Amino acid sequence: DEFLIECLSVGEIKKLRIGHNNKGSAPGWFLSKVIIDDLSVNRVYDFNCERWLAEDEEDGKTTVFLYPGLAIEESQGAGVPYVI
Protein backbone atom coordinates (compact mmCIF):
# COMPACT_ATOMS: atom_id res chain seq x y z
CA ASP A 1 0.00 0.00 0.00
CA GLU A 2 1.07 3.56 -0.58
CA PHE A 3 -0.14 6.56 1.41
CA LEU A 4 0.14 10.24 0.56
CA ILE A 5 0.16 12.72 3.45
CA GLU A 6 0.44 16.44 2.79
CA CYS A 7 1.73 18.82 5.47
CA LEU A 8 3.87 21.89 5.96
CA SER A 9 7.66 21.63 5.73
CA VAL A 10 9.31 20.84 9.06
CA GLY A 11 12.86 21.67 7.95
CA GLU A 12 15.72 19.19 7.64
CA ILE A 13 14.70 15.68 8.68
CA LYS A 14 17.32 13.82 10.68
CA LYS A 15 15.21 10.88 11.87
CA LEU A 16 11.69 9.54 11.69
CA ARG A 17 9.62 7.53 14.17
CA ILE A 18 6.93 5.34 12.64
CA GLY A 19 4.72 2.65 14.08
CA HIS A 20 1.21 1.57 15.00
CA ASN A 21 -0.87 0.78 18.09
CA ASN A 22 -1.25 -2.96 17.35
CA LYS A 23 -5.07 -2.74 17.30
CA GLY A 24 -7.36 -4.77 15.05
CA SER A 25 -7.05 -8.24 13.58
CA ALA A 26 -3.62 -9.09 12.15
CA PRO A 27 -2.28 -5.56 12.83
CA GLY A 28 1.36 -6.22 11.91
CA TRP A 29 2.75 -4.88 8.66
CA PHE A 30 5.97 -5.04 6.70
CA LEU A 31 7.46 -1.60 6.06
CA SER A 32 9.70 -1.40 3.04
CA LYS A 33 10.53 2.29 3.09
CA VAL A 34 9.29 5.82 3.70
CA ILE A 35 9.89 8.50 1.07
CA ILE A 36 9.43 12.15 1.96
CA ASP A 37 9.39 14.69 -0.85
CA ASP A 38 9.89 18.18 0.63
CA LEU A 39 8.67 20.39 -2.21
CA SER A 40 9.53 23.62 -0.37
CA VAL A 41 13.28 22.91 -0.67
CA ASN A 42 13.14 20.47 -3.59
CA ARG A 43 14.59 17.59 -1.57
CA VAL A 44 13.71 13.89 -1.31
CA TYR A 45 14.42 11.82 1.81
CA ASP A 46 14.57 8.04 1.55
CA PHE A 47 14.17 6.05 4.78
CA ASN A 48 14.80 2.34 4.16
CA CYS A 49 13.28 -0.05 6.70
CA GLU A 50 12.72 -3.56 5.22
CA ARG A 51 11.30 -5.06 8.44
CA TRP A 52 8.11 -6.12 10.17
CA LEU A 53 6.34 -3.85 12.62
CA ALA A 54 4.52 -6.59 14.51
CA GLU A 55 4.49 -8.13 17.98
CA ASP A 56 4.64 -11.64 16.50
CA GLU A 57 7.52 -11.02 14.03
CA GLU A 58 11.28 -10.38 14.39
CA ASP A 59 11.97 -8.38 17.60
CA GLY A 60 8.28 -7.83 18.44
CA LYS A 61 8.40 -4.05 18.09
CA THR A 62 5.59 -2.07 16.47
CA THR A 63 7.53 1.21 16.37
CA VAL A 64 10.93 1.97 14.87
CA PHE A 65 13.24 4.97 14.37
CA LEU A 66 14.53 5.41 10.82
CA TYR A 67 17.41 7.54 9.59
CA PRO A 68 17.56 8.92 6.05
CA GLY A 69 19.89 7.60 3.42
CA LEU A 70 21.57 10.01 1.07
CA ALA A 71 19.18 12.89 0.39
CA ILE A 72 18.82 13.70 -3.30
CA GLU A 73 18.66 17.29 -4.42
CA GLU A 74 16.07 17.19 -7.17
CA SER A 75 17.58 20.17 -8.95
CA GLN A 76 20.84 18.25 -9.43
CA GLY A 77 19.12 15.14 -10.73
CA ALA A 78 19.27 11.63 -9.37
CA GLY A 79 22.41 10.62 -11.25
CA VAL A 80 25.14 11.53 -13.67
CA PRO A 81 24.92 10.19 -17.24
CA TYR A 82 28.11 8.70 -18.67
CA VAL A 83 28.90 7.73 -22.26
CA ILE A 84 31.29 4.79 -22.55
Side-chain angles (χ1 to χ4, degrees):
D1 295 329
E2 292 183 16
F3 303 93
L4 177 63
I5 301 170
E6 293 185 32
C7 67
L8 298 175
S9 177
V10 296
E12 183 180 1
I13 301 172
K14 296 184 180 184
K15 71 179 175 180
L16 172 75
R17 179 177 176 238
I18 190 166
H20 61 86
N21 63 6
N22 206 47
K23 301 288 184 196
S25 63
W29 45 282
F30 185 83
L31 177 60
S32 177
K33 69 167 81 176
V34 175
I35 299 172
I36 297 176
D37 190 355
D38 188 342
L39 299 175
S40 67
V41 293
N42 208 25
R43 186 174 204 172
V44 176
Y45 294 91
D46 189 11
F47 296 84
N48 285 318
C49 187
E50 298 298 329
R51 59 161 286 158
W52 281 95
L53 300 178
E55 288 187 346
D56 60 349
E57 298 283 348
E58 295 181 12
D59 61 3
K61 295 183 180 179
T62 59
T63 301
V64 66
F65 281 99
L66 302 176
Y67 299 87
L70 182 62
I72 301 169
E73 295 292 337
E74 293 280 334
S75 60
Q76 295 176 359
V80 178
Y82 289 93
V83 177
I84 298 175

